[in-house]
Amino acid sequence: MSGEASDSAGDEQVPDDEQAPDDEQAADDERAADNEQAAEGEGSPLFTRSDSPGRGVRTNGQRVPGTHDPEAIDLDDPAYYLNRELSELEYQQRVLYEALDDRNPLLERVKFLAIFTRNMDEFFMKRVGGLKQQMDAGVSDPTPDGRRPREQWAEILDTAREMFEEQARWYRDHLRPSLAEEGIRIVDHEDLPAAARERLREYFESSVMPTLTPLTFDPAHPFPFISNLSLSLAVLTSDDERGDDDAGTTDDSAPAVKFSRVKIPKNRPRLVPVEELDGDAFVPIEEVIEANLDLLFPNVEVVDSSLFRVTRNAEVRRNEEVAEGLIEAIEDVIRQRRFATVVRMEVSADMPERVRSLLVEQLDVDEREVFELDGLLDYRDCFELLELSHPELTLPEWTPRAHPRFVDIDPEGTAELFEEIRRKDVLVHHPYHSFTQTVQGFLDAAASDPNVLAIKAAIYRTASDSQVIESLIEAAKNGKQVAVMVELKARFDEENNLRWVKRLEEEGIHVAYGTIGLKTHSKTALVVREEDDGVELYSHVATGNYHSETAKTYVDLGLLTADRDVGQDLVKLFNFFTGHSLHEAYRKLLVAPENMREQFTRLIRREAEHARAGREARIVAKVNALEDPEIVRELYEAARAGVEIDLLVRGICRLRPGLEGLTETVTVHSVVGRFLEHSRIFYFHDDGDADYYVGSADWMTRNLDRRVEAVAPVDDPDLRAELQHVLDVMRTDNRKRWVMHPDGSYEQRRPAPDEATKNTHEHLMDRVGDAVPAEERSPTARSRRRDVSVDLDDMFTDPFDR
């Protein structure tokens, strides 16, 4: 995936042949010592329930700039830029806090325990994997915050270790007992009654053991391959009763203790029901396997068994320029990931030292990459508990509503939908508005409308059973010209997208796979329709993917418009996807990597000029990440000029707010709750003649320079008012909003004793519910509380759209 090097391996792309200086390690150690000294006295680095409610991990332990003469501030000083990796860990701490917060329903807390694991798995696969690649290549250039790769790697491991230990402690001491009080018990196998153990032994022999393949390591068998994120048992066996005592001796006559790996099967439930106990009781499958290893290893002594799990680097790539084809390159990347370097090993607290040492040696793991945990390994399987019938332990159900502009439109009358869009732009807001009734309805209408001439769509991610793709196929069958841009390099969705590419091509549809050196990340669709007064262009420019399932849990915005200028801009963009030349001039859209950086810079500087002239100046930006050093610098300059700046940043944020003489007018907020905040909104006051934009791009270097992105202006006054309301609600949330301190830590806002609770997601659900009566809900989503087709394992993982 060339063109993504600094996305996957740090902030700057450095030649592979650059060698680190001999004193790199010494310099890193010295810098780490300086940081530790500077951080003394700043409070507990990890949130604990008893001492500092609402505080997060202090991940950016370098010195915080103090009071300065604004004119003397040197914005080249690394102290003004927070580290992107440690800032992402701050975000993951806020995710973990949702599991710790006892104000949340119990199963909602369990859900976030699993989400945290999923997110951290991906963080290690992607970000830590990229850092290790830099270290192996001898890269030594510091990032904007002054850290070299090795220093970042070491700080990440130290910070993550505390977070994992906190997760395990909270599960063990709080969540598991609380679940038991509510009749949901996760029981140790050794504590089960004899009848239950006997039945589980029969279950193991008939339904589990046939799926197991013990792999022994000895002179006749190489060390077994350990697949990424697999849960495994390390089993020691001996063919002599004296084996445990004599293991490790050099006496050839001593019985050998052998190591075997047993992979915990993913196609069996991780939590095995215990029918003999009242309520909902489960035992982890690894304990069932451990208790019955004598059946798997007959006629030998099982000396010991312990659990471990490895995480491998996902940052493998192939040069797109020399590959025979992009599909070949992506297929090769998928294969390579299976055998990539191990970047983390989690082991159970009872693992013997000799087993740990063997794993460290054979897997080529640094001791600092070993995480010893007293609790479950891999909490992702806790998602299974969400399927239990305990509505009192979950949040109230939410079914997305039909959009009020589309409620009275006949689904069979396709012309009505286009007439409504042409009459006035439409802003859709997921998951408050139904994806099926809005975006899917737009594409369905285009597929069947006899006057539609062509449909074009850019697909970054879509569901495995995508109705969006089916609609495009149906359109082609109905004689429409259909062109689809499917981004094969969408990380971790490559296989799914490859399947759809092959299906689309089989249907004779024009398919573009991607662009050499760039990812196509824009979320856009264009419908060309012949009408009485000529050909009209109907556009959809969105912040989220064409993915019906994530639209139920990700907060995203989409603009449906018949604006001719937006349509003509999309014509240019789609011509680039299927051709090879990217236009430089656009009428209304901000398009990366062509004019977006330039236009955002211009808009920020315009606000600074207003402030210097004594006029009201204000910027509000809602993004998933604020990482790009140049944009951060522009915001610093605007703040120094006096611009009031509110940054609603879900995850990574390099900028330090609240610095005297520099960012006293800046507030950084982060809302983490029931839904994943994924929309991007940009507001520039312009002395009262404000500009509003929505689109796919974050303020990250990769979005501005190495991805094809599209951001559209919102001109309609009513839609602008809707966007302003969303921003205002989020900025005043006192239940799920966190506010950043200058040192990079966050504190959650809580209502005062006499203050009403303001929860962004609840407020917006109530608001759209008031606009559309309950009986007008989407009929396709009305029947069940939870759609079992939703892959809960993939929810809330979006690490800033990968």
Side-chain angles (χ1 to χ4, degrees):
M1 300 181 200
S2 69
E4 285 292 300
S6 51
D7 169 21
S8 61
D11 297 293
E12 284 74 39
Q13 187 172 357
V14 183
D16 289 342
D17 59 354
E18 179 175 338
Q19 297 298 312
D22 293 338
D23 62 348
E24 177 188 343
Q25 182 64 62
D28 286 343
D29 293 341
E30 181 180 354
R31 191 190 316 275
D34 292 342
N35 291 342
E36 182 176 352
Q37 183 177 4
E40 289 181 1
E42 290 186 20
S44 172
L46 186 67
F47 165 83
T48 56
R49 190 70 180 162
S50 59
D51 57 7
S52 55
R55 281 296 278 216
V57 173
R58 192 199 72 251
T59 60
N60 294 281
Q62 65 190 63
R63 64 182 176 86
V64 178
T67 303
H68 292 282
D69 174 358
E71 298 303 319
I73 291 173
D74 178 12
L75 292 180
D76 292 327
D77 186 339
Y80 288 106
Y81 301 88
L82 296 172
N83 179 265
R84 66 163 288 167
E85 318 302 353
L86 299 177
S87 185
E88 182 169 339
L89 286 182
E90 273 282 358
Y91 164 61
Q92 301 304 342
Q93 175 64 33
R94 299 193 290 280
V95 172
L96 178 59
Y97 181 72
E98 290 297 297
L100 312 187
D101 191 346
D102 58 14
R103 296 173 297 171
N104 291 330
L106 186 56
L107 287 179
E108 181 76 358
R109 296 169 65 191
V110 170
K111 180 181 79 174
F112 275 96
L113 197 74
I115 289 170
F116 173 75
T117 295
R118 179 79 180 198
N119 289 2
M120 291 298 287
D121 286 350
E122 190 165 305
F123 177 79
F124 270 82
M125 286 190 290
K126 179 184 172 188
R127 304 306 309 173
V128 179
L131 285 172
K132 287 200 71 174
Q133 282 184 330
Q134 288 192 33
M135 291 159 56
D136 292 343
V139 174
S140 60
D141 280 11
T143 49
D145 53 278
R147 289 171 169 84
R148 295 189 178 103
R150 185 177 299 278
E151 184 181 355
Q152 295 180 73
W153 173 77
E155 290 189 61
I156 286 169
L157 296 181
D158 289 344
T159 302
R161 192 177 313 279
E162 296 184 29
M163 296 169 74
F164 291 136
E165 290 172 354
E166 182 76 355
Q167 179 191 32
R169 181 167 56 251
W170 213 261
Y171 166 78
R172 184 181 65 245
D173 298 342
H174 296 273
L175 286 177
R176 185 174 173 180
S178 296
L179 286 167
E181 291 175 6
E182 298 294 342
I184 304 174
R185 287 184 287 172
I186 299 176
V187 187
D188 294 330
H189 186 276
E190 62 186 17
D191 294 333
L192 294 175
R197 293 199 301 271
E198 183 59 31
R199 184 187 59 79
L200 288 172
R201 187 173 178 84
E202 294 174 0
Y203 167 75
F204 170 80
E205 190 169 16
S206 64
S207 301
V208 178
M209 192 169 74
T211 72
L212 303 181
T213 305
L215 298 173
T216 298
F217 175 49
D218 61 20
H221 300 90
F223 189 83
F225 172 73
I226 311 297
S227 54
N228 184 38
L229 300 181
S230 61
L231 201 58
S232 301
L233 278 173
V235 182
L236 296 182
T237 58
S238 170
D239 58 7
D240 187 285
E241 293 182 357
R242 296 177 293 112
D244 188 35
D245 294 333
D246 294 344
T249 68
T250 58
D251 184 356
D252 291 341
S253 64
V257 172
K258 296 184 178 181
F259 168 90
S260 298
R261 180 263 184 140
V262 178
K263 181 178 180 179
I264 305 299
K266 291 185 177 181
N267 54 6
R268 299 282 80 191
R270 173 79 181 283
L271 301 177
V272 181
V274 182
E275 300 169 358
E276 292 77 7
L277 299 180
D278 295 334
D280 294 304
F282 306 90
V283 61
I285 192 172
E286 60 266 28
E287 294 190 22
V288 175
I289 295 173
E290 283 187 283
N292 296 283
L293 284 173
D294 60 303
L295 297 177
L296 192 64
F297 295 92
N299 302 317
V300 297
E301 179 191 6
V302 176
V303 176
D304 185 83
S305 63
S306 52
L307 207 61
F308 71 99
R309 180 173 180 256
V310 301
T311 307
R312 292 185 180 272
N313 178 18
E315 287 305 305
V316 294
R317 66 192 65 234
R318 189 172 176 189
N319 191 328
E320 298 168 10
E321 299 283 1
V322 300
E324 292 181 13
L326 188 54
I327 287 182
E328 176 201 349
I330 297 303
E331 289 174 335
D332 192 48
V333 164
I334 294 169
R335 285 192 295 269
Q336 287 185 55
R337 280 185 185 154
R338 295 188 60 245
F339 306 100
T341 305
V342 174
V343 295
R344 176 183 59 166
M345 183 171 72
E346 300 163 274
V347 303
S348 58
D350 62 352
M351 176 173 282
E353 179 57 37
R354 59 179 168 177
V355 175
R356 175 176 170 145
S357 298
L358 175 68
L359 291 172
V360 166
E361 177 185 359
Q362 293 297 324
L363 294 172
D364 193 21
V365 177
D366 190 292
E367 270 291 345
R368 287 171 290 187
E369 296 172 316
V370 180
F371 294 82
E372 184 178 296
L373 300 171
D374 184 11
L376 287 178
L377 296 190
D378 192 356
Y379 291 88
R380 294 177 303 170
D381 296 303
C382 288
F383 278 129
E384 295 175 20
L385 298 176
L386 304 186
E387 298 305 320
L388 299 175
S389 181
H390 286 272
E392 74 283 2
L393 303 181
T394 63
L395 291 171
E397 67 168 291
W398 171 250
T399 302
R401 304 293 177 85
H403 196 288
R405 293 275 302 282
F406 294 157
V407 166
D408 297 326
I409 292 179
D410 180 1
E412 301 299 323
T414 58
E416 293 182 38
L417 184 142
F418 294 110
E419 289 169 4
E420 183 62 20
I421 296 173
R422 188 173 181 182
R423 181 181 69 83
K424 183 180 174 67
D425 290 354
V426 179
L427 187 71
V428 297
H429 199 185
H430 310 300
Y432 310 108
H433 296 138
S434 165
F435 181 89
T436 303
Q437 296 281 302
T438 54
V439 178
Q440 187 64 59
F442 172 67
L443 295 174
D444 286 347
S448 60
D449 187 281
N451 294 323
V452 167
L453 305 175
I455 305 174
K456 303 182 180 186
I459 306 293
Y460 189 69
R461 302 184 192 282
T462 191
S464 57
D465 57 348
S466 175
Q467 185 57 43
V468 168
I469 299 290
E470 295 294 346
S471 294
L472 296 172
I473 292 172
E474 184 65 23
K477 291 179 178 179
N478 289 338
K480 322 295 183 191
Q481 289 292 321
V482 179
V484 184
M485 163 65 222
V486 180
E487 179 49 79
L488 291 183
K489 293 172 288 186
R491 196 186 313 271
F492 305 129
D493 267 329
E494 296 98 337
E495 289 184 84
N496 186 53
N497 287 0
L498 275 171
R499 284 193 294 270
W500 282 121
V501 162
K502 293 173 182 176
R503 173 77 190 283
L504 289 165
E505 289 183 331
E506 288 171 358
E507 298 292 342
I509 292 173
H510 302 296
V511 182
Y513 307 147
T515 305
I516 299 297
L518 298 172
K519 274 188 182 180
T520 298
H521 188 251
S522 64
K523 292 84 166 63
T524 53
L526 178 68
V527 173
V528 182
R529 188 171 189 266
E530 188 170 33
E531 299 181 357
D532 292 341
D533 53 353
V535 172
E536 289 292 335
L537 304 177
Y538 294 88
S539 305
H540 178 242
V541 180
T543 69
N545 299 304
Y546 291 100
H547 199 304
S548 57
E549 299 308 327
T550 57
K552 298 173 184 176
T553 55
Y554 283 28
V555 178
D556 273 305
L557 290 158
L559 178 69
L560 289 164
T561 180
D563 185 300
R564 189 76 184 179
D565 289 338
V566 172
Q568 290 290 0
D569 284 349
L570 285 185
V571 168
K572 294 180 181 179
L573 194 59
F574 279 104
N575 285 344
F576 164 67
F577 294 151
T578 56
H580 70 279
S581 58
L582 187 57
H583 290 265
E584 296 181 357
Y586 292 88
R587 301 180 184 186
K588 284 193 172 181
L589 291 184
L590 309 187
V591 175
E594 293 305 310
N595 68 344
M596 186 178 289
R597 176 183 290 280
E598 175 188 347
Q599 291 301 315
F600 275 135
T601 299
R602 179 184 65 81
L603 292 166
I604 294 169
R605 290 178 177 178
R606 186 183 65 186
E607 293 303 310
E609 288 302 315
H610 283 312
R612 294 187 187 100
R615 296 185 290 270
E616 183 178 358
R618 185 168 185 77
I619 296 171
V620 184
K622 179 184 183 299
V623 292
N624 297 320
L626 170 56
E627 173 272 338
D628 182 70
E630 293 181 29
I631 292 292
V632 171
R633 189 185 187 102
E634 293 292 340
L635 291 170
Y636 275 145
E637 294 286 10
R640 180 157 53 178
V643 179
E644 293 286 337
I645 301 175
D646 275 295
L647 301 171
L648 293 153
V649 185
R650 188 185 90 222
I652 297 167
C653 182
R654 281 198 185 276
L655 180 147
R656 293 186 186 269
L659 296 177
E660 188 174 350
L662 183 61
T663 54
E664 294 161 301
T665 63
V666 179
T667 305
V668 177
H669 320 254
S670 176
V671 172
V672 178
R674 173 178 190 153
F675 302 132
L676 182 79
E677 286 294 337
H678 188 252
S679 60
R680 291 91 165 178
I681 307 172
F682 305 95
Y683 167 87
F684 302 92
H685 185 68
D686 195 20
D687 195 29
D689 186 18
D691 290 311
Y692 290 81
Y693 294 87
V694 298
S696 61
D698 289 310
W699 275 347
M700 302 183 74
T701 302
R702 69 185 190 187
N703 297 104
L704 299 173
D705 296 339
R706 300 192 302 276
R707 292 187 172 188
V708 180
E709 306 275 7
V711 170
V714 178
D715 297 327
D716 183 273
D718 292 335
L719 304 191
R720 289 177 167 216
E722 282 297 309
L723 293 177
Q724 189 61 56
H725 182 78
V726 170
L727 296 174
D728 290 343
V729 167
M730 295 189 72
R731 290 188 302 107
T732 57
D733 185 307
N734 60 14
R735 177 62 184 85
K736 296 294 185 180
R737 177 172 61 101
W738 298 73
V739 176
M740 186 200 277
H741 295 289
D743 68 350
S745 67
Y746 286 73
E747 185 170 356
Q748 191 179 56
R749 287 290 180 257
R750 300 192 177 208
D754 57 346
E755 185 182 10
T757 299
K758 301 175 184 176
N759 182 318
T760 295
H761 299 153
E762 289 183 1
H763 171 86
L764 293 174
M765 285 189 293
D766 290 342
R767 191 165 189 261
V768 75
D770 291 341
V772 180
E775 59 269 18
E776 298 294 347
R777 292 181 181 181
S778 168
T780 60
R782 185 184 300 161
S783 58
R784 287 207 302 268
R785 185 181 66 82
R786 178 178 287 113
D787 184 347
V788 295
S789 70
V790 177
D791 184 359
L792 292 170
D793 202 37
D794 281 336
M795 286 185 172
F796 286 82
T797 64
D798 164 60
F800 321 115
D801 251 357
R802 297 179 289 205

